[in-house]
Amino acid sequence: MKSDYRTWSMLDSRLNQEEAWPAKDFPKAKFHYFKDSGCFATCLAIFIRKSGIVSSDDWDDFNPWIFVERCKACGVYDEYADLCPERLYKAYPLSYCDDIYDYSLEKLKKVLDDGFFCLLAVPGHNAAYHYVVADRIENNEVKIIDPLQGSGRQYSEFCFIALFKPISNSKENFSESLKIAKSTVDECHRNGTSGTALPGYKVMKKFPDMLSYLTKGIETTLVIGTIGKTTTTRMISDMMSFAGIPHITNRAGANTLSGIITAFAQKTDESCCIKEKNAVIECDEGRISLIAEYTKPSYIVLTNIFYDDYWRLGSLENIMNLIRTGIRRAGNVVLCVNEDSKEAMIVADSLDCKKVFYSLKNGIPFVDGVECPVKYPIKADYYLYDAAAACAWAKAHNLLDTCVPALEFTKPAFGRMESFLVDGIQVTIETTKNKFCFDQVVNYLKPQKGSFNTIIWKDNSEDIDWDWIFGENLDNFIDIADELYVCSSDKVADYIEQFIKIHRIDEEEAYRIIKSSSQRTVILADYYGMLKARSFFAKKHYISEFWEN
């Protein structure tokens, strides 16, 4: 019987005559019938038909039920009956590539034009999200296929875009993709841009599961957590170098799939091989399942878990679930975990894997309860936690005595208490991405009050990276300064002004203030503001671009 995939519905009686995910096979599953949780599977089945991976339009040859049965047989579902998109390739030649969390019509149009199949998440009922297929765009309107209601229904809000791509791997595609990646990096640098993510994105268009091939035979460490990833990754990288271990790392901090692909692709030789057999990779916590599936890490370092990026990752519980699921999917892994982080320990306690614990007591790192004194130049607790995390990694490799001395020579990562001179005046940039970061920075700078100017530097007109600030009591601003310079949007400046006297300035005014001052300047910035500030001073030749650092 012919069946139009555009009309497929998770409510179809043919899909609900019995449990799709039987309780006897999935005892931990919350839902068992298609009608309750079949939207994701139905969308992916639609992709299979829409892409031509399955060409038959006969319902008896292919439908969402047949799709689910094959996925179950191929291990695509976990014990909770959650479909693991990063395992989809095991059942069908369709690869899950990435998510785009800051949805816009322009971004959706671009990825559709680039040949990706796009799944859109909308606020859900039984689960956090309900999924629909982005079929096409007409007259600036998204036309969707909704597995709950059929084709044509409109939604006013989309949370994020999930990208999928049919797999057509070949030796020619493999080598051509790597050539494209390297040439794109060179082109980006010539144009004065970073080239950290775009090359990997171009690779995904041609060879979507490239990372799984590039990381074969490489012992990989993933560094995850809300804060501290970039610094911890740099510390472990410096330890490896100090110990004479050749390795790959995404030192520029691009921690999603495209950025990680770029880091590995740059290390390939003319025969498309990688000589290094070790890697330490900073990984976005929202992508841990995908990256872990591709890289099969031997070690994972979990720095901490805080409420962060609600617009992207949702609740604290959801962040914990993302991390827990990702670590589970890594398989046989050694977990280095911060035992002072309550949420990180809740996740760790739920996992059956070998663990190395680290903590900080009176400013001194401890690993598995043993003191591990380090000589890191910045004596702020939140950076000493990163040093403790790196020491835990070294302990897991039996390299503690060999590697700890490296931390004395580790330079701060870009935008993390990073200092440079502007005509002889010291400028320090610190990234404050949430309330915890802000409070830690205030505690560190408080004893130095009066010895520096403070500039708030922001470059995100939508205020996404400063969302934490609204509703917070910022009286502790006066612990570091009597007044602030604010190079920011009106919305952020208006809010800060309730707590402390401010002077609204632009970039050039900030530059003049720094040059004319007799004391150093501390710039507190959101992530994008940090990149903007660094770029401003790089163009004036006071500092290198972050990808050159």
Side-chain angles (χ1 to χ4, degrees), residues 460-492:
N460 188 337
S461 59
E462 296 178 357
D463 298 312
I464 288 177
D465 258 23
W466 280 86
D467 65 323
W468 60 269
I469 203 170
F470 302 111
E472 294 286 352
N473 188 321
L474 302 179
D475 284 339
N476 52 355
F477 258 131
I478 63 176
D479 290 336
I480 60 173
D482 294 320
E483 55 187 23
L484 296 173
Y485 298 99
V486 181
C487 183
S488 177
S489 68
D490 287 340
K491 184 177 179 182
V492 169

Side-chain angles (χ1 to χ4, degrees), residues 231 235 360 362-365 374-388 412 416-417 428 430 436-448:
T231 299
M235 287 176 170
L360 199 67
N362 298 319
I364 300 174
V374 300
K375 295 180 179 180
Y376 186 63
I378 301 174
K379 301 303 180 183
D381 280 358
Y382 53 108
Y383 285 119
L384 291 173
Y385 268 113
D386 299 337
R416 279 76 173 179
M417 280 296 174
T428 300
E430 175 65 316
F436 177 82
C437 289
F438 172 73
D439 289 342
Q440 291 294 308
V441 171
V442 168
N443 290 338
Y444 175 66
L445 293 175
K446 190 187 305 183
Q448 308 167 46

Side-chain angles (χ1 to χ4, degrees), residues 289-353:
S289 289
L290 176 62
I291 305 303
E293 179 68 30
Y294 282 149
T295 62
K296 302 299 182 187
S298 301
Y299 301 86
I300 292 179
V301 179
L302 175 55
T303 60
N304 46 61
I305 303 174
F306 295 106
Y307 179 66
D308 187 53
D309 285 356
Y310 80 92
W311 55 275
R312 184 171 72 92
L313 299 178
S315 66
L316 182 62
E317 181 180 358
N318 190 57
I319 296 171
M320 293 168 66
N321 285 335
L322 286 170
I323 292 174
R324 180 187 294 112
T325 300
I327 296 173
R328 279 194 180 120
R329 290 177 187 170
N332 185 22
V333 70
V334 177
L335 177 64
C336 302
V337 60
N338 180 358
E339 62 181 335
D340 291 340
S341 170
K342 175 184 174 183
E343 288 75 16
M345 286 300 293
I346 291 173
V347 170
D349 288 342
S350 67
L351 298 168
D352 183 19
C353 63

Side-chain angles (χ1 to χ4, degrees), residues 55 96 111 130 138 163 287 290 307 319 331 410 456 548:
S55 58
Y96 166 51
V111 291
H130 172 62
E138 288 183 1
L163 308 183
R287 271 77 169 199
L290 176 62
Y307 179 66
I319 296 171
T410 295
I456 302 297
E548 300 170 329

Side-chain angles (χ1 to χ4, degrees), residues 171-238:
K171 186 175 181 179
E172 291 75 19
N173 253 358
F174 184 80
S175 58
E176 182 63 24
S177 297
L178 293 177
K179 289 179 182 177
I180 290 173
K182 290 185 174 183
S183 64
T184 303
V185 170
D186 293 340
E187 181 182 355
C188 287
H189 288 178
R190 286 195 300 270
N191 294 333
T193 56
S194 66
T196 55
L198 180 60
Y201 177 79
K202 287 188 175 182
V203 168
M204 288 193 299
K205 289 165 58 177
K206 290 183 67 67
F207 207 101
D209 55 340
M210 173 65 80
L211 189 61
S212 65
Y213 289 84
L214 292 177
T215 56
K216 284 182 179 178
I218 296 178
E219 182 181 275
T220 300
T221 296
L222 295 183
V223 180
I224 60 174
T226 305
I227 60 174
K229 297 186 291 291
T230 302
T231 299
T232 300
T233 301
R234 176 162 295 208
M235 287 176 170
I236 294 174
S237 175
D238 286 352

Side-chain angles (χ1 to χ4, degrees), residues 12-29:
D12 192 316
S13 60
R14 292 172 294 182
L15 301 176
N16 289 282
Q17 294 179 5
E18 58 183 285
E19 291 180 331
W21 303 277
K24 64 180 179 63
D25 298 326
F26 300 95
K28 295 184 179 181

